[in-house]
């Protein structure tokens, strides 16, 4: 009988035989059932935020890695049009505007995408035509998102803070390129941007702080004043702004007369330093201190702070409207009678209200600490019907300018030949049909 010999088969040989028996279409089916998603590695975070550049500059999209590294199909698109299939892309726009940049990476029919925007500030721009100035004042905390460009003709960005030593700080405009975005979007929409410079402001109402002399001290000293002029000139040029507003509010101190008198030489020096076509304005009060203002006829125009009568916020003062129609009219008449023609004046209106938190037994304001201010958009948020009124039952009552009142004021401004109106502040305004800025624009246009 023949002896049968048994031999063991190595494991690797068994595996080889098993895979050798698999059909090629089974492998393809497994890949189809488990597709590989391509990946984009953005270690430099070039897609993390929108870019803001000037026309003629280049936005570089480099430093990316992909997986599977050399097998993906790459497509760079600008406003949905393919511009490159390289691993990196350099975008150099031919004109100002906002552009959508999209990167598609595809492998075996599966696509991964990244996208961002590039805002390009135009090198040349033409300002829109207007009959009356409709000026939006934007505080240092405001952004481009607070503005509706169709509702304004000019923008005053109050971002420059003047210290007593004559130094100038506009650092809040550097946050997330805030100032660059504001200027770019304004110029794309044909709106000139004015740099607003001030000392310390009192808060929501944006006016005088008791015994504050920062700005006044700086411009009363010739050396400090000249240094300030040069700093402002440099900033305006670097940021491509179109002018400056001198918002010197140091009028609530013993040095108020000297502070106000110093505006004249400062205005002269600033106009000499800036381009000939620069807009240079002054913001001034309409109270008894109007007598202290020097000749401001060299200014492009003067903004008059014709709101807040300060007659309703003393202890035991009657509650009521501090920014009435009559107060605005009397303020404009002071300036037209004693200072400048109406055609040189832009009249202010408030986008905030005086809120009473505590009243005394007589129903009057209780004390200096019993009131504060509330932005118009906060008032509308608390009372949806507030836009059509000028008093809302919030706390112990808040008095403000609603759409009927600002429309009445704007009609007076237009009928009496004033240069225009401004709103303090655009970032306090509500949106849509509740917007004060829209109501002013539609009346003055």
């Amino acid at each position: 009988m023949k002896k049968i010999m048994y031999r063991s088969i190595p494991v690797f040989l068994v595996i080889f035989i098993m895979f050798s028996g698999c059909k090629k279409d089974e492998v393809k089916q497994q890949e189809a059932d488990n597709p590989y998603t391509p990946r984009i590695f953005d270690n430099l975070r070039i897609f993390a935020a929108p870019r803001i550049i000037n026309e003629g500059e280049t936005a570089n999209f480099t430093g990316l890695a992909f997986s599977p590294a050399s097998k993906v199909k790459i497509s760079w698109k600008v406003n949905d049009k393919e511009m490159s299939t390289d691993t990196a892309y350099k975008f150099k726009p031919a004109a100002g505007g906002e552009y959508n940049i999209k990167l598609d990476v595809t492998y075996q029919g599966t696509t991964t995408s990244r996208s961002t925007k590039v805002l390009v500030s135009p090198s040349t721009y033409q300002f829109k035509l207007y009959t009356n100035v409709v000026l939006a004042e934007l505080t240092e905390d405001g952004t481009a998102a607070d503005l509706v460009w169709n509702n304004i003709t000019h923008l005053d960005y109050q971002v420059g803070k003047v210290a007593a030593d004559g130094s100038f700080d506009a650092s809040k405009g550097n946050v997330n390129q805030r100032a660059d975005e504001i200027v770019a979007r304004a110029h794309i929409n044909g709106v000139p941007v004015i740099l607003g410079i001030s000392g310390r402001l009192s808060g929501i109402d944006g006016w005088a702080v008791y015994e504050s002399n920062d700005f006044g001290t700086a411009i009363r000293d010739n050396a400090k004043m000249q240094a300030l002029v040069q700093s402002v000139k440099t900033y305006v040029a670097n940021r491509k702004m179109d002018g400056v507003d001198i918002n010197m509010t140091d009028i609530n101190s013993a040095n108020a007369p000297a502070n106000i008198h110093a505006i004249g030489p400062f205005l002269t020096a600033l106009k000499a330093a800036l381009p000939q076509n620069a807009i240079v304005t002054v913001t001034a009060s309409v109270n008894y201190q109007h007598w202290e203002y020097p000749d401001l006829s060299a200014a492009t125009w003067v903004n008059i702070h014709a709101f807040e009568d300060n007659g309703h916020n003393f202890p035991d003062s009657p509650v009521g409207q501090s920014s009435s129609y009559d107060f605005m009219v009397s303020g404009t008449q002071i300036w037209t009678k004693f200072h400048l023609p109406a055609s040189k004046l832009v009249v202010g209106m408030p986008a905030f209200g005086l809120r009473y938190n505590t009243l005394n037994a007589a129903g009057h304001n209780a004390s200096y600490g019993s009131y504060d201010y509330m932005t118009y958009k906060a008032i509308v948020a608390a009372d949806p019907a507030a836009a059509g009124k000028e008093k809302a039952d919030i706390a112990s009552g808040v008095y403000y300018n609603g759409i009927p009142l600002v429309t009445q004021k704007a009609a007076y401004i237009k009928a009496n030949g004033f240069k225009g109106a401004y709103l303090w502040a655009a970032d306090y305004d509500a949106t849509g049909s509740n917007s004060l800025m829209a109501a002013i624009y539609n009346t003055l246009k």
Side-chain angles (χ1 to χ4, degrees):
M1 184 174 177
K2 196 173 200 178
K3 189 175 181 179
I4 300 175
M5 303 294 291
Y6 294 93
R7 298 178 183 273
S8 61
I9 302 174
V11 174
F12 75 86
L13 185 58
V14 173
I15 295 172
F16 173 77
I17 293 170
M18 289 173 61
F19 275 91
S20 297
C22 291
K23 296 180 180 179
K24 291 182 178 180
D25 59 352
E26 291 177 349
V27 174
K28 291 181 179 179
Q29 185 62 45
Q30 289 179 27
E31 290 181 347
D33 293 339
N34 300 279
Y36 183 89
T37 301
R39 299 180 67 186
I40 301 170
F41 299 96
D42 183 9
N43 294 327
L44 300 180
R45 297 179 60 78
I46 62 175
F47 283 99
R51 308 273 192 94
I52 303 171
I53 63 174
N54 293 318
E55 184 180 335
E57 295 178 345
T58 300
N60 293 311
F61 294 88
T62 59
L64 298 168
F66 309 95
S67 179
S70 59
K71 298 181 180 181
V72 295
K73 178 184 176 182
I74 296 171
S75 176
W76 291 92
K77 296 176 181 176
V78 177
N79 293 345
D80 295 325
K81 180 180 179 181
E82 185 173 80
M83 305 299 291
S84 174
T85 58
D86 201 350
T87 56
Y89 178 53
K90 294 184 176 182
F91 173 58
K92 188 173 183 178
E98 188 169 32
Y99 298 84
N100 296 312
I101 310 297
K102 186 179 181 184
L103 169 63
D104 289 334
V105 174
T106 304
Y107 177 68
Q108 292 186 343
T110 302
T111 299
T112 297
S113 301
R114 296 284 186 275
S115 62
T116 190
K117 293 181 182 293
V118 176
L119 182 64
V120 182
S121 185
S123 57
T124 58
Y125 42 89
Q126 187 170 355
F127 297 139
K128 65 173 69 174
L129 299 176
Y130 63 92
T131 302
N132 296 103
V133 167
V134 182
L135 174 65
E137 297 265 6
L138 193 68
T139 75
E140 62 180 0
D141 296 316
T143 69
D146 294 311
L147 299 162
V148 178
W149 302 106
N150 289 338
N151 291 338
I152 64 177
T153 64
H154 296 75
L155 171 62
D156 182 346
Y157 183 27
Q158 287 280 337
V159 73
K161 287 292 178 286
V162 178
D165 64 359
S167 62
F168 166 73
D169 179 17
S171 58
K172 279 208 170 183
N174 299 335
V175 177
N176 298 323
Q177 289 188 277
R178 189 180 293 171
D180 292 334
E181 181 182 5
I182 287 169
V183 172
R185 293 192 185 281
H187 287 172
I188 289 169
N189 286 279
V191 173
V193 181
I194 302 166
L195 168 67
I197 57 176
S198 68
R200 284 175 290 173
L201 301 179
S202 57
I204 288 178
D205 65 330
W207 201 231
V209 175
Y210 183 65
E211 287 299 336
S212 175
N213 290 287
D214 295 343
F215 200 151
T217 298
I219 61 175
R220 290 200 317 267
D221 182 283
N222 186 63
K224 293 177 182 178
M225 185 266 281
Q226 294 296 340
L228 176 60
V229 167
Q230 292 306 309
S231 296
V232 171
K233 173 186 175 181
T234 300
Y235 184 86
V236 167
N238 290 344
R239 288 290 185 268
K240 300 174 64 177
M241 291 183 172
D242 306 291
V244 178
D245 174 57
I246 304 169
N247 188 13
M248 204 291 297
T249 67
D250 296 341
I251 61 173
N252 199 6
S253 75
N255 289 324
N259 293 339
I260 296 173
H261 298 166
I263 293 174
F266 181 55
L267 171 63
T268 299
L270 201 55
K271 282 184 63 67
L274 294 174
Q276 188 174 5
N277 62 347
I279 300 168
V280 184
T281 63
V282 177
T283 297
S285 71
V286 297
N287 61 12
Y288 69 94
Q289 290 166 314
H290 76 87
W291 295 112
E292 303 292 349
Y293 284 97
D295 179 11
L296 298 178
S297 58
T300 309
W301 69 73
V302 173
N303 302 310
I304 54 174
H305 189 104
F307 51 94
E308 279 194 293
D309 61 15
N310 291 319
H312 295 81
N313 54 5
F314 290 97
D316 201 37
S317 61
V319 301
Q321 176 62 264
S322 64
S323 299
S324 67
Y325 173 82
D326 289 342
F327 180 72
M328 184 204 75
V329 171
S330 65
T332 63
Q333 290 174 346
I334 285 172
W335 273 84
T336 56
K337 184 176 181 180
F338 298 106
H339 299 286
L340 294 168
S343 59
K344 290 280 286 189
L345 300 175
V346 172
V347 185
M349 301 184 212
F352 62 87
L354 175 62
R355 175 173 57 188
Y356 297 100
N357 297 308
T358 306
L359 303 180
N360 61 20
H364 297 167
N365 180 48
S367 67
Y368 284 115
S370 65
Y371 72 94
D372 57 14
Y373 296 101
M374 191 174 183
T375 65
Y376 173 71
K377 66 181 177 184
I379 296 169
V380 171
D383 179 358
K389 304 182 293 183
E390 58 182 85
K391 177 184 180 293
D393 294 326
I394 302 169
S396 294
V398 56
Y399 293 81
Y400 58 94
N401 282 204
I403 289 177
L405 184 50
V406 299
T407 301
Q408 182 187 19
K409 288 181 175 183
Y412 171 84
I413 290 166
K414 184 175 184 177
N416 288 275
F418 288 90
K419 191 169 187 68
Y422 77 86
L423 185 71
W424 179 271
D427 38 317
Y428 301 164
D429 195 14
T431 57
S433 61
N434 292 328
S435 170
L436 301 178
M437 197 88 253
I440 294 168
Y441 180 84
N442 288 333
T443 305
L444 292 181
K445 67 180 180 181

